Amino acid sequence: MPELPEVETVKRGLERLIIGRSISDITSDTVRSFPNDPGLVAEFCVGAKVVGIRRRAKVLLIALSTGYSLMVHLKMTGQMVFVGKGTGSAAAQLEPAVDNEVRFGAGHPNESLIGKLPDTSTRVIVSFSDGSHLYFNDQRKFGWIKLLPDELVAQDPFMQKVGPEPLEAAFTDRVFIDRLMRRPNTSIKAALLDQSVLAGVGNIYADESLWGAKIHPARTVKTISKRQLKKLHAELLHVLQTAIDKGGSTDRNYVNAEGKKGSYITFARVFRRETQPCYTCGTIIIKTRVAGRGTHVCENCQRLTATDHRRVRA
DNA sequence: CACTTGACCTGTCCGC
DNA sequence: TGCGGACAGGTCAAGT
């Protein structure tokens, strides 16, 4: 579930933790290289220094001194966890990001990481010359890392099609509305999740921003008023920025570069709040399915028009 | 072409 | 208790 705020949080952590470190070894079995040549990983990673970290949409870009970059997508369960030399174990790094905001009981997947990274979900280990390590963990194996020359990053198919960054100043409400209108006949939720419309929104922040704007996720884009879409733009930016400030959302797996959990989920207004009362009107939040995703809605605040009902499945 | 659904994975949770 | 199946969701491919 790493979405924009989670990946941004990881990026900021990695900036602090790994820039300037020299790679002494990298397990390369799950790192694809472009051009497709396993030898490139050893040749352009080992001995290289980390010179910069960028984020574009939900993709992390780790720039190396060799002119190559590691491109990382965490997909649903990916983690990039740094364990520094001298910490002894990961235990000290697995505390909540914000005091007592999020605390899972024994048995949570992250509890099993304590003191034993790498674990069964570890797919790639980047070792640094000072004895520290960066672990790419990915329980469900949807994530990937690829190594490619810097000049090929922009040629990547995903980078080619991905839409604008919502938190950049150029992303005005007018740009937002214009781009949504590329998908006039789909649901507003599907449009928000479409990475070619705008970058970085996933299931959590789609639901959260739609609740804030009082728009039902199944509403057809072209039927929504400009005024409501402007409101959605404002809500989306607010939700994304708030989530970054909270270190992202930890629903299950997500942790930042220090192995710490994000706390936004405890501030969520609809996401994962099914069976609980709406903060605005007290109506019980329901969970349904829109655009193939679990979707959380206050059916009183977020009204559906008669023609939109077909988009909703229990 | 526009849009929707299924596949990719694996751990967890629920019901029988 | 054990087991089968539904479910979680980012993205791409395949289907309607």
Side-chain angles (χ1 to χ4, degrees), chain A residues 41-91:
Chain A
V41 176
E43 185 176 350
F44 291 99
C45 286
V46 177
K49 189 172 278 193
V50 176
V51 296
I53 315 280
R54 285 202 297 135
R55 177 192 62 76
R56 177 76 172 100
K58 302 170 189 171
V59 172
L60 279 171
L61 292 156
I62 303 174
L64 306 178
S65 56
T66 48
Y68 275 64
S69 285
L70 288 166
M71 194 171 168
V72 183
H73 202 307
L74 302 174
K75 290 289 182 83
M76 257 88 77
T77 57
Q79 307 174 335
M80 294 290 274
V81 181
F82 176 83
V83 179
K85 188 182 181 184
T87 56
S89 77

Side-chain angles (χ1 to χ4, degrees), chain A residues 31-38 40-41 44 68-69 71 144-153 156-157:
Chain A
V31 177
R32 291 177 286 164
S33 66
F34 290 82
N36 188 9
D37 174 4
L40 291 177
V41 176
F44 291 99
Y68 275 64
S69 285
M71 194 171 168
W144 43 256
I145 298 183
K146 34 189 183 180
L147 175 75
L148 66 176
D150 291 342
E151 60 269 23
L152 290 188
V153 169
D156 180 89

